[in-house]
Amino acid sequence: MAPTSTRKVSLCGKELHGLQHICAFFDSRKEMYDILNPYFQEGIDVGDEVVTILESSVHDDHVERMRKGGVPVQDAIQRGQLKVVPSEETYIQDNVFVVDRMYSTLEGVLKGAAEGEFKSVRTCGDMEWALKNLPGTDDLMVYEAKVNTLAPRHDCTLLCCYDVNRFSGRVIADVLATHSHVIIGGHVHENPYYLDPVTFLHKLALRRASSAPLASES
């Protein structure tokens, strides 16, 4: 059962309810930030801790796009409400992706917020790091499924961004199966393809013998 919350969480002009593990499909950085900046701004306005995770090489661009979108970046960072975290220190620490380690990291962020000044969390993870094909990357969808066992226990909104031009069709299908909401074409929808974690992990185990690449071959 998800914690009771009266905070507002909206994306693409639609207020969200229930489990909020969201996959966002974009085909350009402009489209991405047109949607993300209002989400970040709203989080700051309602008192959420806003955690963004992406590769360090794009941090400057990330901060500048937020600033140009009206997000009070410097003030929010200085008071500890907005965090810009490298993928290299979270998802792929030591150049390897470890499901349980990342799960524990996320759990620590959610627990820390509940016990601190900011009682709720909204996150945004740019999943480009997965295309590096580092050890453990094949377990990405195991992690995405397990997040659905964690999210209901905390007051949080968890958003994962995928470039539709770079990930394979198999990955896109699995991403849909592991997120309760989907953003596509600038609109957010409750996801009819979502599977509960036990069902998805069972299906994933059955097909492990014929794994497919994460990156698009086009």
Side-chain angles (χ1 to χ4, degrees):
M1 182 69 68
T4 301
S5 175
T6 57
R7 71 188 178 106
K8 179 182 179 182
V9 181
S10 58
L11 275 162
C12 308
K14 180 177 179 179
E15 191 163 348
L16 305 182
H17 302 280
L19 176 64
Q20 294 173 16
H21 185 202
I22 304 151
C23 57
F25 296 124
F26 301 110
D27 62 10
S28 72
R29 303 294 285 182
K30 180 182 184 303
E31 180 190 17
M32 180 174 171
Y33 284 91
D34 284 347
I35 290 170
L36 291 182
N37 282 333
Y39 168 74
F40 297 145
Q41 179 67 65
E42 180 187 80
I44 291 170
D45 290 344
V46 302
D48 287 352
E49 181 177 324
V50 179
V51 180
T52 64
I53 307 176
L54 61 168
E55 293 193 71
S56 58
S57 61
V58 296
H59 278 197
D60 288 346
D61 179 70
H62 174 62
V63 168
E64 181 64 11
R65 286 178 184 272
M66 284 193 291
R67 187 190 66 77
K68 287 184 176 179
V71 180
V73 177
Q74 295 306 322
D75 288 346
I77 289 176
Q78 287 175 4
R79 63 176 177 266
Q81 188 178 8
L82 172 63
K83 293 180 170 62
V84 181
V85 183
S87 301
E88 299 91 332
E89 296 177 9
T90 50
Y91 291 112
I92 48 174
Q93 184 180 347
D94 302 320
N95 288 317
V96 61
F97 177 65
V98 180
V99 171
D100 290 342
R101 181 178 67 189
M102 187 59 204
Y103 182 95
S104 295
T105 297
L106 178 58
E107 186 175 34
V109 169
L110 300 180
K111 287 182 176 179
E115 297 166 359
E117 178 182 356
F118 310 107
K119 303 302 180 185
S120 51
V121 178
R122 66 180 65 195
T123 71
C124 174
D126 187 338
M127 309 308 285
E128 293 286 298
W129 60 267
L131 297 171
K132 292 183 173 182
N133 292 320
L134 293 171
T137 304
D138 288 346
D139 289 329
L140 173 58
M141 292 306 149
V142 175
Y143 169 74
E144 291 281 38
K146 289 187 69 174
V147 167
N148 291 316
T149 69
L150 177 63
R153 305 200 300 270
H154 299 274
D155 192 359
C156 63
T157 305
L158 310 175
L159 190 153
C160 305
C161 296
Y162 289 85
D163 185 333
V164 294
N165 299 308
R166 301 198 64 197
F167 285 89
S168 69
R170 168 55 68 186
V171 170
I172 298 301
D174 284 346
V175 170
L176 282 170
T178 53
H179 293 77
S180 62
H181 294 74
V182 56
I183 296 174
I184 190 164
H187 300 279
V188 62
H189 309 274
E190 290 190 25
N191 182 11
Y193 302 104
Y194 171 73
L195 298 176
D196 68 85
V198 173
T199 300
F200 176 80
L201 290 172
H202 177 68
K203 288 179 176 290
L204 185 63
L206 291 176
R207 73 159 201 258
R208 277 289 189 174
S210 57
S211 59
L214 292 178
S216 171
E217 296 180 358
S218 59

